[in-house]
Amino acid sequence: MLSALVAGLATGAVFAATALAYNVMFSTSKVLSVTTGHLPMLGGVAGAYVIAGLGLPWWLGLLAAMGTGALFGLLTELVAIRRVLARSDEHLWLLSTLALATMVQQAVGLWWGTEPRPFPRLIPQDFSAGLADQKFWLPIALAVAMAGGLELFYSRTMAGKLFVAMSEDAFAARARGIPTDRIRVASYALAGALGGLAGFAAGQLTFAYFALGLTLTLNGFIALAVGGLGSNVGALIGGFALGLLNALASYWFGGEYQQTIAVGLLMVVLLVKPEGLLGSKQVRPV
Amino acid sequence: MFHLLRLPRKLAASLALACIATLAQANDVIRIGWLSSLTGPLSSAAQAENQGVQLAVAEINAAGGINGRKLELLTRDTAGDPTKAVNLAQQLAFSEKVHFIIGPVNSGEGLGATPVIARAGVPNLVIGALEELTDPVKYPRAFRLINTNRQWISTANNYALKTLKRSRIALIGDTTGYGTASAKTATEMLEAAGVKPVYTVLVDPNKTDLTDELAKARAAGADVIMPWSAATGLVGRLLNARGDMGWNVPVVGHTALMAPQIRKLLNKPEYWENVVAAGYASTTFGADGKLPPATAALMEKVRSRIAPGGGEIELLFWWVAMGYDCVKVIEHAVKAAGGTDPAAIQKALENTRELRGVFANYSWSPTDRNGFPDGDMVPNIANTLRDGAFKLAR
């Protein structure tokens, strides 16, 4: 039972980290990009390739994971977001980001292969460590650090305050001279780097696997919706709650009910508290 | 007089027409559609099968074709996508008007494509293991070369119950269609043998850790674990959880247990000990350390193509052998039927008994479309892959 809980928390941490990446991009563009789950996938694959494939030290693998994520974030903004937002208020970004997500997944599958590959051990530790194994606590620690770091970033730094300003009212921010386009580009690069970092930290748990992206896109979105869109603490709570619920559902009822219960949780939260646990209510002035 | 003059003319015309028809048939190529998932999920199996298919086509064409007719191979990459497989099956059957279709490779693709091929009346060589892919009434021209899923399960069950003499079985399936159906079939077959599994569970194929499931299986008193999943990631995690727990319980089940990729996913190489999977006699080393002569001969023919520098073969050789046999079965059917008429091909294959292939010796009948014999299946020791083949589990 305890092993199920710890594994659930660790898996939930990956969902939470994905939800945090959603939040960073959403704050500046109001877009929920389908490519979000592919950021950790790319981080895991890049890290495994650099460390295990090229035999380079772990810190270069970390840089590669974050760099690949940041580059893909920039590409997403350039290819799937910028022109769509400039031309239309409709939710066409759903299609453009879905297309890009599919393309990157296929490209990674062709290059990396379609079978999961191992992610190297980052810290010397025996495999008999049980629940203290780094594959569990690395993603948990990272998700908590990411949420805390983002809170500090938004409240203590000028760049973070610009993100918040854009999040509250992009038109007003632009009217006050904030370079909203550049801020949006920066937010996608930041989300990419954080997503890549999450994939790196969780690599031992998930393996380096090309098809991980869409699973994380879905579960990260559920975590975000449950926790409350825009809230980093909410994303953390939503991710952990979803991971635990998945683990407990699988433990008590079997894996066939896992997804049903996860999506059921989303439905219940949306019915009872549509803004999520910690989301702010949107009030339309009339 | 007039009639006497006309008779030779008619005869000459008939003879000329007959000659033209014969020549036309000689020049008329036999078109084989090959639905192969060369990219995408399970591409490693398809790529290996493709080597066998290509080799057999090249060999037959180099020998002058079948009854003077050359083979033309039309390969279509389904990327493991059932929708693509259906569309490409339609294209091959109705637009390209092929004489035979081999595949698709994956059972999931076959569930969609096989009915389409059957509707077109094209003879179909089935290489998916799911039972539903053959049916003498619904798909009369679909003939299976690979074993059925029940044969895999039966081989594993026999090994656990009769060789290991263990009956406290924990069944672990995954939540995919294949895993769910296999776990259900395995349970039914065990119960028919008088054994009720002590623990049964379905898990998500992407479940990140299986320690909890194995702990429950151990608490239930399991003395053998039987996983039914084609997901190598899940199988790797299961073996890692068993190894990390220090529980040396035998694991017996699906061929995915001996996939070469598993070795890379294991925390320690010794976690692959005490693991047995359903395998094939054609790719199992005998007591003398040698493979069956037909397998060894085919290996030497393709070694330079599939092994870098002519060294050791690292893929599972049975895929190559099955791909090779698919084309050889077509050769047999065309020769027996005297052409490519679909009805005659169906009859020829229905009357095929003990056709010697490399992968297996095939027999079909008017009521049975599953050509792979039970006797050609054996249990293999999972971590003994050497040169594309395995050791027998005793």
Side-chain angles (χ1 to χ4, degrees):
Chain A
M1 177 69 177
L2 192 59
S3 62
L5 288 176
V6 173
L9 273 179
T11 311
V14 191
F15 300 158
T18 310
L20 289 168
Y22 263 120
N23 258 347
V24 173
M25 291 187 276
F26 184 80
S27 66
T28 60
S29 63
K30 303 297 174 205
V31 164
L32 291 167
S33 173
V34 180
T35 58
T36 311
H38 295 70
L39 299 169
M41 180 273 284
L42 285 171
V45 168
Y49 174 67
V50 167
I51 302 172
L54 301 179
L56 296 172
W58 69 267
W59 56 270
L60 277 177
L62 174 66
L63 283 179
M66 293 181 71
T68 307
L71 279 176
F72 185 59
L74 288 172
L75 184 72
T76 305
E77 198 280 334
L78 180 69
V79 174
I81 303 295
R82 188 180 298 180
R83 290 176 67 80
V84 170
L85 288 187
R87 291 181 176 214
S88 167
D89 285 334
E90 301 298 325
H91 293 172
L92 287 177
W93 46 261
L94 188 63
L95 285 178
S96 58
T97 57
L98 176 64
L100 188 61
T102 307
M103 284 163 67
V104 76
Q105 177 168 311
Q106 292 297 323
V108 173
L110 285 171
W111 169 67
W112 182 248
T114 54
E115 294 288 347
R117 292 211 213 169
F119 193 92
R121 210 74 168 147
L122 295 174
I123 302 164
Q125 185 186 29
D126 193 79
F127 286 107
S128 59
L131 299 180
D133 196 286
Q134 59 191 278
K135 75 175 179 182
F136 296 125
W137 59 260
L138 268 178
I140 295 174
L142 181 90
V144 174
M146 265 175 69
L150 280 172
E151 285 298 310
L152 285 176
F153 173 71
Y154 287 136
S155 60
R156 300 282 174 86
T157 68
M158 179 54 74
K161 284 174 181 166
L162 294 180
F163 275 44
V164 175
M166 256 189 94
S167 168
E168 287 178 355
D169 192 331
F171 290 106
R174 177 173 285 190
R176 282 163 178 76
I178 295 174
T180 52
D181 287 347
R182 272 193 280 159
I183 297 290
R184 190 177 62 233
V185 171
S187 76
Y188 273 73
L190 176 65
L194 291 176
L197 178 62
F200 185 84
Q204 294 175 69
L205 193 69
T206 60
F207 293 141
Y209 184 38
F210 90 113
L212 194 64
L214 280 179
T215 307
L216 290 182
T217 292
L218 174 67
N219 286 296
F221 174 72
I222 295 174
L224 189 67
V226 168
L229 196 58
S231 165
N232 292 323
V233 179
L236 204 60
I237 293 172
F240 283 135
L242 182 61
L244 280 176
L245 199 71
N246 271 348
L248 293 176
S250 180
Y251 188 82
W252 280 321
F253 306 110
E256 62 269 45
Y257 299 103
Q258 185 177 311
Q259 281 298 321
T260 312
I261 290 173
V263 180
L265 168 74
L266 173 69
M267 294 295 293
V268 169
V269 170
L270 291 181
L271 283 172
V272 177
K273 209 166 183 321
E275 68 277 15
L277 297 174
L278 299 181
S280 52
K281 280 188 179 169
Q282 286 192 344
V283 181
R284 181 187 293 172
V286 288
Chain B
M1 184 66 188
F2 180 75
H3 288 289
L4 282 175
L5 279 173
R6 268 178 66 183
L7 189 62
R9 271 191 208 164
K10 274 187 175 174
L11 197 62
S14 302
L15 279 172
L17 277 173
C19 285
I20 289 166
T22 310
L23 276 172
Q25 194 183 10
N27 292 328
D28 181 19
V29 294
I30 297 171
R31 293 161 69 80
I32 302 172
W34 169 213
L35 288 170
S36 184
S37 54
L38 292 170
T39 58
L42 301 181
S43 58
S44 48
Q47 286 166 7
E49 285 160 7
N50 190 42
Q51 294 289 344
V53 169
Q54 299 267 3
L55 175 70
V57 168
E59 269 185 8
I60 291 169
N61 280 341
I66 307 171
N67 294 341
R69 295 171 70 183
K70 292 284 177 92
L71 303 184
E72 184 187 357
L73 189 65
L74 290 88
T75 306
R76 298 290 182 267
D77 182 8
T78 64
D81 180 347
T83 310
K84 273 190 191 168
V86 169
N87 291 339
L88 291 171
Q90 275 176 330
Q91 188 223 359
L92 286 172
F94 294 106
S95 304
E96 299 288 355
K97 301 200 184 304
V98 295
H99 297 102
F100 295 89
I101 290 180
I102 302 172
V105 170
N106 308 318
S107 288
E109 298 173 294
L111 286 173
T114 304
V116 171
I117 300 168
R119 211 161 37 244
V122 176
N124 180 200
L125 300 182
V126 176
I127 52 174
L130 214 60
E131 273 71 16
E132 290 81 353
L133 296 180
T134 54
D135 185 319
V137 178
K138 280 158 67 183
Y139 317 130
R141 287 175 190 158
F143 293 83
R144 194 195 312 261
L145 276 86
I146 197 173
N147 58 286
T148 63
N149 202 32
R150 290 182 81 87
Q151 286 175 304
W152 267 332
I153 295 170
S154 168
T155 305
N157 285 356
N158 282 342
Y159 183 78
L161 300 178
K162 293 177 183 167
T163 308
L164 293 178
K165 301 196 186 313
R166 299 193 181 206
S167 56
R168 299 186 62 77
I169 289 167
L171 269 179
I172 299 181
D174 69 35
T175 53
T176 62
Y178 174 76
T180 308
S182 299
K184 185 168 174 271
T185 306
T187 306
E188 288 168 1
M189 291 173 72
L190 284 169
E191 285 178 350
V195 173
K196 187 169 171 55
V198 295
Y199 181 65
T200 306
V201 70
L202 295 179
V203 295
D204 187 293
N206 291 318
K207 188 174 168 69
T208 51
D209 187 75
L210 278 98
T211 308
D212 54 335
E213 299 301 350
L214 285 188
K216 284 199 283 185
R218 181 151 69 173
D223 60 8
V224 60
I225 304 289
M226 301 192 76
W228 288 106
S229 169
T232 50
L234 183 73
V235 171
R237 288 185 178 107
L238 182 130
L239 296 180
N240 280 337
R242 182 189 69 145
D244 291 346
M245 288 165 71
W247 186 26
N248 192 26
V249 63
V251 178
V252 183
H254 190 267
T255 47
L257 283 165
M258 52 185 176
Q261 299 92 324
I262 294 289
R263 178 170 28 198
K264 298 174 191 159
L265 296 178
L266 297 179
N267 292 342
K268 296 176 183 175
E270 56 265 35
Y271 287 4
W272 216 2
E273 298 284 344
N274 208 7
V275 179
V276 169
Y280 303 100
S282 58
T283 49
T284 298
F285 293 105
D288 57 357
K290 290 182 179 170
L291 290 169
T295 308
L298 181 63
M299 263 186 184
E300 293 322 307
K301 279 186 203 167
V302 292
R303 186 176 296 280
S304 60
R305 294 168 67 146
I306 60 177
E312 193 163 297
I313 295 167
E314 291 181 354
L315 48 79
L316 301 179
F317 192 73
W318 66 66
W319 298 124
V320 182
M322 188 175 66
Y324 183 82
D325 279 2
C326 282
V327 182
K328 299 301 271 185
V329 166
I330 289 173
E331 182 183 33
H332 155 78
V334 173
K335 282 181 176 170
T340 48
D341 173 60
I345 292 289
Q346 179 184 333
K347 199 168 178 190
L349 287 175
E350 280 176 349
N351 292 320
T352 297
R353 304 281 180 277
E354 294 283 329
L355 175 68
R356 296 185 72 81
V358 178
F359 179 52
N361 297 329
Y362 309 95
S363 299
W364 294 280
S365 76
T367 55
D368 189 0
R369 294 296 192 263
N370 299 318
F372 193 100
D374 291 347
D376 281 2
M377 297 217 64
V378 294
N380 281 152
I381 303 172
N383 64 349
T384 58
L385 176 66
R386 179 172 60 83
D387 213 17
F390 293 86
K391 283 186 183 169
L392 181 69
R394 296 174 195 280

